[in-house]
Amino acid sequence: MVRSLSFIHLFVILAVSYIGGAILFREIPISTMEKLITFFDPRVVYGHQVGFVRPVAMTVLFFVIAFILSNIKQARFAILFLGALKSVLFGLSSAFLLGSGMKILDYSIWWFPFQFVICFLFLAFCAILNPPFFLGRNRWKKQSTNALPVIIITSVFVLILEIVIFYILLK
């Protein structure tokens, strides 16, 4: 029961953050939004003109920042917030892509499924680094990080697959 609660918890964070990003799309001026989105994933604004290094670097940066925050006891509360922030950026970028007239087939093949999986894997990574309150981790035991390599390897595989689909199949 507790394991299923953690997946539900992560899906709720992902859904609420995604919807929050889509609503935020209506409130931010286009020029500001383009700058923000371009910082995190320039492919959303500029398409195939951008190389793959920046999106990969930003994804790796999110994982590294979450790992660094997990080693600082006073900053551990911000780990899930960072996961929610990535999901908000996913919703904001999705609304921008759909609002700018991207083909729905490209969106449904490339952007949505891969970003959804990457965001969920990142939220799972964050939840392992700082488990939710209802998991009842014993304070005397060290938390288990056995799943971290699996999540990282899966994230790398999904990221490589996304790059291949975007730069080879959709070009």
Side-chain angles (χ1 to χ4, degrees), residues 11-23 80-81 83-92 123:
F11 276 121
V12 167
I13 291 172
L14 181 61
V16 169
S17 300
Y18 178 85
I19 292 169
I23 292 172
L80 274 177
F81 178 74
L85 176 67
K86 183 158 178 59
S87 300
V88 167
L89 291 170
F90 166 44
L92 185 66
L123 280 170

Side-chain angles (χ1 to χ4, degrees), residues 55-166:
V56 170
M58 289 309 293
T59 302
V60 169
L61 185 65
F62 270 105
F63 278 91
V64 168
I65 289 173
F67 187 74
I68 290 171
L69 287 176
S70 73
N71 291 325
I72 303 170
K73 188 174 183 178
Q74 294 82 5
R76 293 190 88 183
F77 69 92
I79 295 172
L80 274 177
F81 178 74
L82 185 66
L85 176 67
K86 183 158 178 59
S87 300
V88 167
L89 291 170
F90 166 44
L92 185 66
S93 300
S94 294
F96 182 81
L97 282 171
L98 292 173
S100 65
M102 181 181 210
K103 294 179 190 173
I104 196 72
L105 185 64
D106 291 350
Y107 177 80
S108 62
I109 290 174
W110 164 61
W111 181 257
F112 186 81
F114 287 104
Q115 290 301 315
F116 178 78
V117 170
I118 289 172
C119 281
F120 184 75
L121 287 170
F122 182 65
L123 280 170
F125 181 79
C126 292
I128 290 171
L129 292 176
N130 186 26
F133 67 93
F134 55 81
L135 287 181
R137 191 181 89 213
N138 191 342
R139 61 184 165 145
W140 294 286
K141 290 184 182 178
K142 189 174 185 217
Q143 67 190 36
S144 175
T145 57
N146 296 338
L148 287 180
V150 174
I151 289 176
I152 292 171
I153 290 169
T154 306
S155 299
V156 167
F157 176 73
V158 169
L159 196 58
I160 290 171
L161 191 59
E162 179 202 8
I163 296 294
V164 167
I165 287 177
F166 182 71

Side-chain angles (χ1 to χ4, degrees), residues 13-35:
I13 291 172
L14 181 61
V16 169
S17 300
Y18 178 85
I19 292 169
I23 292 172
L24 191 62
F25 172 75
R26 298 182 65 180
E27 303 298 324
I28 297 178
I30 296 293
S31 61
T32 306
M33 186 180 343
E34 283 182 356
K35 290 177 187 174

